[in-house]
Amino acid sequence: MRILITNDDGIEAPGIRWLARTVAHAGYDVVVAAPLSESSGASASMTAVVQDGKIVSEPRELAGCRGVPAFGVAASPAYIVLLALRDAFGPAPDLVVSGINRGANAGAAVVHSGTVGACLTAAHAGLHGLAVSLDVLTPAAASASSGGAAIAALDALDDEQHHWISGADLAVRLLPSLLHTPPGTVFNLNVPDLHVDGIRGLRQAHLARFGQVQMSIAEAGDGYVRTAVQAAEETLEEGSDLAALAENFAVVTPIRAPHEDDEVRINVGAIKVQTSAL
């Protein structure tokens, strides 16, 4: 089982080191390819830095991951997945694990997440995906500059102090269950920023209707708009991922790549299409 590990926080982020180390120690064949710079809020975008017709890719060595090939790539997470599926970093992966993200990717915010977007791209190709996030978000310190609703403006000096191992350990424990689901299934895992002994358990829950934070317009002027981010004020829905996180449970939600809604029928026959005569 060959696993691609990527993220949207960048190749230097501590979460990806902990994740790669733990997955490799569990006996999986691991390759790491992640953005050279912050790509949070990228969703499943296809962006890259091209020089002389080539996408920039640099070999990296991750601390504690001896023997694990790693690459910093000047591209979005979803683009990196597509490159990996075309053997850009060695043999194509069988599964994609993305994270560990700084901040929860829960509720409606998953639509913006580069962490989740990488897995949905893999799912569209028929692979399984596991998106892993650590709930380190402090809404008062959140920033709109990075995009998305699960972004924390974290002090780099404190970043190593979070409980990344809790997220990595639960991710490895979930992999066997993920592999027993239909191809194209993605597990979205959110873990409290607690020592494993402080986590009350693992729950399956639905996506909340909203994310942890919400954006508002603080000021709009001639030629500019200034945004602000604040904690969401909506009441937590019972049975949702955000409600479980608030009670110090880790939470997993199965999701799938977008597909057609077969419950909606459109009366296309009633819509006249003007065609030109040949």
Side-chain angles (χ1 to χ4, degrees):
M1 177 62 62
R2 182 168 172 83
I3 295 180
L4 169 70
I5 293 182
T6 190
N7 71 355
D8 68 4
D9 291 322
I11 191 68
E12 301 294 340
I16 199 168
R17 296 199 309 269
W18 280 100
L19 188 58
R21 185 183 311 165
T22 307
V23 173
H25 285 177
Y28 295 96
D29 178 20
V30 172
V31 59
V32 175
L36 279 168
S37 59
E38 174 82 31
S39 295
S40 294
S43 188
S45 64
M46 296 286 134
T47 57
V49 175
V50 179
Q51 296 180 356
D52 299 323
K54 303 173 183 177
I55 298 173
V56 177
S57 177
E58 303 174 356
R60 292 296 180 95
E61 185 172 328
L62 301 185
C65 298
R66 180 176 297 180
V68 175
F71 303 87
V73 187
S76 62
Y79 203 156
I80 289 172
V81 170
L82 284 185
L83 294 174
L85 292 174
R86 288 154 179 79
D87 304 332
F89 314 110
D94 304 299
L95 184 149
V96 171
V97 181
S98 185
I100 301 168
N101 190 66
R102 293 185 188 98
N105 278 305
V110 298
V111 72
H112 306 295
S113 168
T115 304
V116 177
C119 290
L120 292 178
T121 302
H124 185 69
L127 275 65
H128 292 90
L130 174 59
V132 190
S133 303
L134 193 69
D135 186 19
V136 300
L137 178 65
T138 301
S143 168
S145 63
S146 299
I151 306 304
L154 301 171
D155 182 353
L157 295 177
D158 296 329
D159 213 6
E160 299 287 348
Q161 307 305 314
H162 296 290
H163 296 84
W164 303 109
I165 186 58
S166 296
D169 180 66
L170 275 172
V172 169
R173 292 174 183 270
L174 264 178
L175 284 176
S177 296
L178 175 62
L179 292 171
H180 281 87
T181 62
T185 300
V186 172
F187 280 0
N188 185 44
L189 172 66
N190 286 284
V191 181
D193 184 19
L194 299 169
H195 186 276
V196 65
D197 292 340
I199 298 174
R200 297 177 62 189
L202 177 64
R203 285 182 173 176
Q204 179 174 338
H206 66 263
L207 296 175
R209 294 193 306 271
F210 53 91
Q212 278 188 317
V213 297
Q214 59 188 13
M215 185 182 72
S216 60
I217 302 300
E219 184 180 4
D222 186 15
Y224 75 94
V225 174
R226 186 168 61 86
T227 61
V229 177
Q230 62 190 41
E233 298 177 353
E234 287 84 351
T235 303
L236 292 175
E237 309 163 56
E238 185 177 353
S240 71
D241 49 6
L242 285 177
L245 276 176
E247 297 176 1
N248 290 335
F249 284 92
V251 58
V252 60
T253 304
I255 58 178
R256 282 193 166 271
H259 61 279
E260 70 277 4
D261 187 343
D262 55 15
E263 295 183 0
V264 176
R265 305 306 300 172
I266 304 171
N267 185 10
V268 295
I271 301 174
K272 184 176 180 180
V273 178
Q274 183 68 43
T275 58
S276 58
L278 295 178

